[in-house]
């Protein structure tokens, strides 16, 4: 026991190393690099367990609370205290810091940072180079060099990944992934404790979006089932006004919910969770004489350099955005228009359905290629943080998918004004695309895991010299290692698998909103899909994939701006659709009905921006507690400052 009610975390980190070749003769085992790694990890206070699998050997790592606490102090992690201030963590003052919703001292993101600091912080502190060996391979561990990084470079350490906690995983399976009784309820705090802020924020958004979409789904179902006769065309503008009001209010209330969740999770918006070398430390490392003698001219030069870097970064982003837009116009647009034209001239519904399936299959890979090109372009941009790089990637890739998803629908809606074909395209896109995406995201991880498991079992049988019989992967850590990682389809350089999940939601939102007047029933399809999506995404994370590396994003980031953009686009597109419905002959005369639609467009834009300011983004109780904590922190600082001033006067 550590005296604070917690013994240690479970085994939360796994390290993969090759199995030793027992047939090789050895003279000395003391300098085996894996043995040295295990020994060094134990010296820093970690708890280590070695497990031999079929194909690899695994090192499971856990840590007592005190070890994590001292690592957090070295990392200068800031945590919320009971007086409302975020202060640098100190192990000796542990009782001053607020606990997490589940009662633990550190969040999963903080624990993961501490584990990384501990295992990658093992360096050669001796006075000489240490010779290491693994099987027939020999190499040197240099002074001040990280042992784990050296082993990764030499290919000894194959992978370092987070481990699932089996007890908590099964609990989440029972209460969340397999709980179909409540369609949209989710244990958000437990998800946050297990997966971190970013994953929990996604599921909180998905759950709230699914609950709210039931209202337009019910309205659209009524319009589809009930014939209002001559009033049918008047019901569509009413439905459209309701939709815009619904969408604007939803995102305003989501901002309120997000701020409440962040307050409960003790997370600050814009807080930098990266392990960076603080500027204050760099300055303190300089001699005091150099700081004093720095001329004022250096500040002017620094200001000019920063200004040039800022504008150069803007120019790079503009260049990259222009390249993406030109590639869309020159390469993707002709492909999309060719598909739309073929769909229009085909008479057989079966051929149309097959064409859509082939198109969706082909365009997925073409768009992923564009996404990977965008990742390469972003590497040359002068973005200040990983969050800004991720946002830039989101905007570029969404532009590619926006063209892929909507240009064909625009073709049928605006050029041919064929609403029967438009409804067929929407049904096929919503059904085929959603089913296709769900099959891919759930079947591919299982197929990858099954293939890796088959290879491991086959290799073990070959080593044992027999080809029949049954051999199983018996250790849990090896099963987790064989599972795919939760990564984005365009690559894991900047984003994890949530990129694809948010992209799927954004494309669905744009599809049902921008063509709502043509097919009100689309909201019912979306509601059913999202109810299923909650459970399938939960199963994917808990069963089919490795435990994701925690990310500390406090909001949905650039996706919120994309959703806002889609609301404005839906106002424009639906007004055009209503004009087409009212002006079937195509004369485009500004008659009273058409004039009313144009007026409605401006009114809806005013509603959109008006509601955005009408509903506060922060709940009153969150704001009151924040102000109260700030006042308490100011009082404490004032008292301490007055005591220090009084003490100096008395000494005089």
């Amino acid at each position: 026991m550590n005296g604070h009610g917690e013994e240690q975390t479970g085994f939360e980190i796994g390290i993969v190393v090759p199995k030793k070749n027992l047939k090789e003769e050895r003279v000395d085992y003391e300098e085996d690099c894996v043995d040295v790694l295990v020994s060094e990890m134990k010296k820093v206070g970690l708890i280590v367990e070695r497990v031999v699998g079929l194909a690899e050997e695994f090192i499971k790592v856990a840590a007592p609370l005190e070890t994590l606490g001292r690592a957090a102090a070295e990392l200068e992690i800031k945590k919320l205290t009971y007086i409302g201030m975020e202060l640098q963590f100190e192990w000796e003052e542990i009782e001053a810091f607020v606990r997490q919703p589940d009662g633990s001292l550190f969040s999963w993101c903080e624990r993961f940072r501490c584990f990384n600091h501990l295992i990658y912080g093992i360096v050669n502190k001796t006075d000489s180079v240490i010779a290491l060996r693994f099987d027939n391979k020999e190499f040197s561990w240099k002074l001040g060099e990280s042992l784990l990084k050296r082993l990764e470079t030499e290919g000894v350490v194959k992978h370092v990944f987070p481990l699932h906690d089996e007890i908590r995983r099964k609990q989440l399976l029972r209460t969340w992934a397999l709980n179909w009784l409540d369609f949209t309820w989710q244990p958000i705090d437990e998800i946050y404790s297990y997966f971190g802020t970013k994953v929990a924020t996604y599921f909180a958004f998905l759950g709230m979006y699914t609950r709210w979409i039931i209202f337009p789904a019910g309205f659209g179902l009524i319009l589809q089932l009930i014939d209002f006769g001559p009033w049918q065309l008047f019901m569509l503008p009413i439905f459209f006004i309701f939709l815009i009001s619904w969408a604007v209010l939803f995102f305003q209330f989501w901002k309120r919910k997000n701020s409440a969740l962040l307050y409960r999770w003790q997370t600050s918006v814009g807080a930098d969770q990266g392990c960076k070398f603080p500027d204050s430390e760099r300055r303190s490392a300089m001699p005091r004489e150099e700081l004093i003698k720095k001329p004022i001219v250096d500040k002017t030069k620094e200001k000019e350099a920063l200004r040039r870097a800022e504008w150069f970064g803007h120019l790079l982003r503009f260049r990259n955005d222009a390249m993406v837009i030109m590639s869309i116009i020159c390469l993707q647009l002709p492909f999309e228009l060719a598909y739309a034209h073929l769909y229009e001239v085909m008479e057989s519904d079966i051929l149309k359905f097959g064409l859509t399936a082939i198109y969706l299959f082909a365009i997925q890979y073409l768009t992923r290629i564009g996404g990977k090109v965008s990742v390469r372009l972003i590497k040359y941009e002068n973005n200040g943080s990983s969050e800004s790089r991720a946002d830039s990637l989101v905007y570029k890739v969404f532009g590619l998918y926006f063209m892929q998803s909507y240009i064909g629908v625009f073709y049928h809606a605006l050029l041919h004004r064929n609403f029967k074909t438009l409804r067929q395209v929407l049904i096929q896109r919503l059904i085929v695309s959603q089913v296709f995406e769900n099959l891919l995201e759930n079947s591919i991880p299982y197929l990858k895991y099954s293939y890796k498991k088959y290879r491991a079992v086959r290799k073990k049988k070959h080593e044992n010299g027999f080809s029949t019989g049954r051999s199983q992967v018996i250790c849990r850590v090896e099963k987790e290692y064989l599972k795919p990682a939760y990564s984005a389809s365009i690559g894991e350089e900047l984003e994890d698998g949530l990129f694809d999940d948010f992209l799927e939601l954004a494309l669905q939102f744009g599809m049902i909103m921008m063509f709502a007047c043509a097919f009100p029933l689309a909201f019912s399809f979306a509601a059913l899909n999202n109810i299923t999506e909650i459970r399938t995404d939960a199963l994917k994370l808990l069963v089919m994939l490795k435990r994701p590396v925690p990310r500390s994003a406090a909001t949905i980031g650039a996706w919120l701006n994309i959703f806002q953009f889609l609301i404005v686009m839906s106002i424009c597109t639906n007004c055009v659709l209503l004009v087409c419905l009212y002006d079937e002959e195509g004369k485009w005369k500004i008659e009273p009905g058409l004039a009313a639609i144009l007026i409605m467009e401006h009114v809806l834009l005013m509603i959109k921006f008006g509601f955005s300011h009408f509903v506060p983004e922060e709940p009153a109780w969150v704001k009151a507690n924040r102000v109260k904590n700030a006042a308490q922190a100011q009082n404490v600082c004032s008292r301490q400052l007055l005591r220090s001033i009084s003490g100096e006067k008395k000494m005089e």
Side-chain angles (χ1 to χ4, degrees):
M1 294 293 291
N2 52 40
H4 294 282
E6 297 177 65
E7 293 185 3
Q8 67 183 56
T9 65
F11 289 105
E12 294 188 300
I13 301 294
I15 301 174
V16 186
V17 297
K19 291 175 67 175
K20 292 181 180 179
N21 188 356
L22 300 178
K23 296 180 181 179
E24 295 289 337
E25 294 185 0
R26 297 245 190 331
V27 178
D28 187 5
Y29 290 92
E30 294 180 356
E31 295 183 358
D32 180 89
C33 60
V34 177
D35 294 336
V36 172
L37 176 64
V38 171
S39 174
E40 292 293 331
M41 285 194 293
K42 289 179 178 179
K43 288 179 182 178
V44 298
L46 295 172
I47 299 170
V48 181
E49 179 180 328
R50 300 177 71 169
V51 178
V52 179
L54 291 180
E56 314 289 350
E57 184 178 351
F58 302 91
I59 303 172
K60 299 194 297 183
V61 183
L65 181 62
E66 182 176 357
T67 302
L68 292 178
R70 300 197 181 281
E74 293 175 5
L75 286 170
E76 299 182 356
I77 291 177
K78 289 187 176 181
K79 292 185 63 64
L80 186 68
T81 61
Y82 284 101
I83 63 171
M85 288 184 67
E86 284 192 352
L87 298 177
Q88 182 179 322
F89 182 80
E90 295 290 342
W91 171 250
E92 291 75 14
E93 308 295 336
I94 184 174
E95 300 299 336
F97 295 94
V98 178
R99 297 263 170 166
Q100 297 292 315
D102 63 348
S104 60
L105 180 62
F106 297 108
S107 66
W108 166 226
C109 184
E110 291 168 340
R111 294 199 306 275
F112 187 78
R113 289 182 63 197
C114 292
F115 274 114
N116 269 350
H117 174 71
L118 290 167
I119 61 179
Y120 281 97
I122 298 173
V123 297
N124 185 358
K125 297 180 180 179
T126 63
D127 297 330
S128 60
V129 175
I130 299 177
L132 299 176
R133 182 181 60 214
F134 186 82
D135 286 347
N136 296 325
K137 194 173 187 179
E138 295 184 359
F139 49 91
S140 300
W141 182 19
K142 300 177 182 178
L143 297 177
E145 184 181 25
S146 169
L147 176 59
L148 195 61
K149 287 185 178 180
R150 180 63 176 172
L151 296 183
E152 287 177 336
T153 303
E154 297 294 336
V156 177
V157 170
K158 294 185 175 182
H159 193 42
V160 180
F161 64 100
L163 293 175
H164 277 290
D165 185 322
E166 196 65 13
I167 296 176
R168 297 175 67 188
R169 188 186 72 87
K170 289 181 178 179
Q171 182 182 1
L172 283 172
L173 270 174
R174 184 177 62 257
T175 60
W176 177 35
L178 301 178
N179 181 18
W180 290 88
L181 297 178
D182 192 331
F183 293 142
T184 61
W185 179 86
Q186 301 177 90
I188 294 298
D189 285 340
E190 286 78 3
I191 298 171
Y192 159 74
S193 299
Y194 191 71
F195 288 112
T197 308
K198 192 173 183 180
V199 172
T201 302
Y202 164 73
F203 280 103
F205 178 82
L206 177 59
M208 184 174 175
Y209 174 55
T210 304
R211 287 191 296 272
W212 276 63
I213 206 174
I214 292 174
F215 298 103
F219 199 159
L221 192 61
I222 291 173
L223 289 179
Q224 192 74 22
L225 297 179
I226 300 177
D227 185 8
F228 291 93
W231 294 95
Q232 187 71 27
L233 289 178
F234 291 98
M235 292 299 297
L236 287 178
I238 296 174
F239 176 64
F240 179 38
I241 294 172
F242 167 78
L243 276 184
I244 298 302
S245 304
W246 165 84
V248 174
L249 288 174
F250 163 69
F251 283 104
Q252 287 303 113
F253 278 96
W254 160 249
K255 293 176 185 177
R256 291 171 60 86
K257 182 179 178 64
N258 192 23
S259 63
L261 289 174
L262 295 181
Y263 182 82
R264 192 161 75 233
W265 297 339
Q266 308 161 26
T267 304
S268 301
V269 178
D272 187 8
Q273 298 295 330
C275 300
K276 295 183 179 179
F277 193 60
D279 184 66
S280 59
E281 292 183 12
R282 288 197 300 265
R283 291 181 61 85
S284 63
M286 298 173 60
R288 186 174 179 181
E289 292 78 6
E290 292 185 15
L291 292 174
I292 295 174
K293 293 180 181 179
K294 262 189 174 296
I296 302 178
V297 181
D298 286 356
K299 292 185 178 180
T300 306
K301 292 181 179 179
E302 182 181 2
K303 184 178 180 180
E304 290 295 330
L306 290 174
R307 184 183 290 116
R308 285 195 300 269
E310 178 187 8
W311 285 106
F312 184 68
H314 288 315
L315 289 174
L316 284 177
R317 284 190 287 273
F318 178 79
R319 182 205 66 179
N320 293 343
D321 293 341
M323 291 176 64
V324 172
I325 293 172
M326 290 303 297
S327 67
I328 290 173
I329 294 174
C330 299
L331 300 177
Q332 195 171 9
L333 182 60
F335 180 79
E336 300 287 344
L337 291 177
Y339 158 73
H341 178 71
L342 287 175
Y343 190 93
E344 188 71 29
V345 299
M346 282 185 176
E347 297 181 357
S348 173
D349 291 337
I350 298 177
L351 289 178
K352 289 181 177 180
F353 192 86
L355 177 66
T356 302
I358 295 172
Y359 160 77
L360 291 174
F361 182 80
I363 200 64
Q364 288 290 330
Y365 289 94
L366 292 177
T367 311
R368 287 181 183 180
I369 292 173
K372 292 182 181 296
V373 173
S374 299
V375 171
R376 289 183 174 271
L377 290 175
I378 288 170
K379 291 181 178 179
Y380 298 99
E381 292 182 0
N382 188 19
N383 293 296
S385 63
S386 59
E387 184 177 354
S388 61
R389 289 193 295 272
D391 288 346
S392 180
L393 177 65
V394 167
Y395 292 132
K396 289 178 175 61
V397 177
F398 180 77
L400 299 173
Y401 277 90
F402 182 88
M403 181 65 68
Q404 168 213 319
S405 301
Y406 303 130
I407 189 63
V409 188
F410 286 141
Y411 180 86
H412 297 296
L414 304 179
L415 186 60
H416 286 276
R417 301 175 68 182
N418 189 338
F419 283 85
K420 181 180 178 181
T421 304
L422 175 60
R423 293 187 183 98
Q424 291 178 352
V425 171
L426 290 173
I427 291 173
Q428 291 181 6
R429 289 292 183 92
L430 287 170
I431 295 177
V432 175
S433 180
Q434 298 289 342
V435 171
F436 181 73
E437 287 291 336
N438 285 330
L439 284 176
L440 279 181
E441 69 181 22
N442 289 288
S443 61
I444 289 181
Y446 177 76
L447 292 175
K448 286 183 177 179
Y449 167 71
S450 299
Y451 176 69
K452 289 182 179 180
K453 181 179 177 180
Y454 167 76
R455 287 186 59 187
V457 172
R458 185 178 180 182
K459 182 179 179 181
K460 182 66 175 179
K461 289 181 178 180
H462 180 72
E463 290 176 354
N464 292 339
F466 59 88
S467 58
T468 60
R470 187 177 182 184
S471 179
Q472 296 181 346
V473 180
I474 55 175
C475 62
R476 182 177 61 86
V477 65
E478 186 164 20
K479 291 181 180 179
E480 291 192 32
Y481 169 63
L482 295 177
K483 293 177 181 178
Y486 186 47
S487 58
S489 58
I490 58 173
E492 56 185 8
E493 292 91 344
L494 297 175
E495 278 287 348
D496 54 17
L498 286 178
F499 178 89
D500 294 325
D501 293 330
F502 269 119
L503 178 63
E504 183 180 350
L505 277 183
L507 294 176
Q508 180 203 84
F509 181 81
M511 189 73 69
I512 63 179
M513 284 293 295
M514 288 198 293
F515 308 98
C517 291
F519 189 48
L521 194 61
F523 287 87
S524 299
F525 287 106
L528 292 174
N529 176 79
N530 291 350
I531 290 172
T532 307
E533 189 78 19
I534 292 174
R535 307 306 167 187
T536 55
D537 283 352
L539 280 172
K540 177 177 66 177
L541 285 174
L542 291 170
V543 177
M544 300 180 186
L545 301 173
K546 290 185 179 75
R547 189 178 184 181
V549 173
R551 295 176 183 254
S552 57
T555 65
I556 64 175
W559 294 108
L560 183 60
N561 295 330
I562 288 175
F563 281 113
Q564 300 286 1
F565 163 76
L566 291 174
I567 293 175
V568 176
M569 284 292 297
S570 66
I571 293 176
C572 301
T573 55
N574 280 282
C575 284
V576 174
L577 289 175
L578 287 174
V579 169
C580 295
L581 286 171
Y582 279 97
D583 186 34
E584 295 180 359
E585 297 180 0
K587 297 179 180 179
W588 301 94
K589 293 181 179 179
I590 306 300
E591 297 176 354
L594 301 183
I597 292 173
L598 295 176
I599 294 172
M600 184 179 65
E601 177 186 7
H602 292 76
V603 171
L604 287 172
L605 288 172
M606 292 177 62
I607 290 175
K608 193 267 179 202
F609 294 108
F611 279 6
S612 299
H613 298 282
F614 177 73
V615 180
E617 296 183 2
E618 188 178 40
W621 66 271
V622 173
K623 186 175 182 180
N625 287 333
R626 183 169 51 81
V627 172
K628 178 183 176 182
N629 291 338
Q632 289 178 349
Q634 186 176 7
N635 291 335
V636 171
C637 291
S638 299
R639 293 194 194 99
Q640 290 181 350
L641 184 60
L642 288 173
R643 290 194 192 102
S644 62
I645 294 174
S646 300
E648 291 177 359
K649 289 291 184 182
K650 290 179 180 178
M651 290 179 63
E652 292 177 358

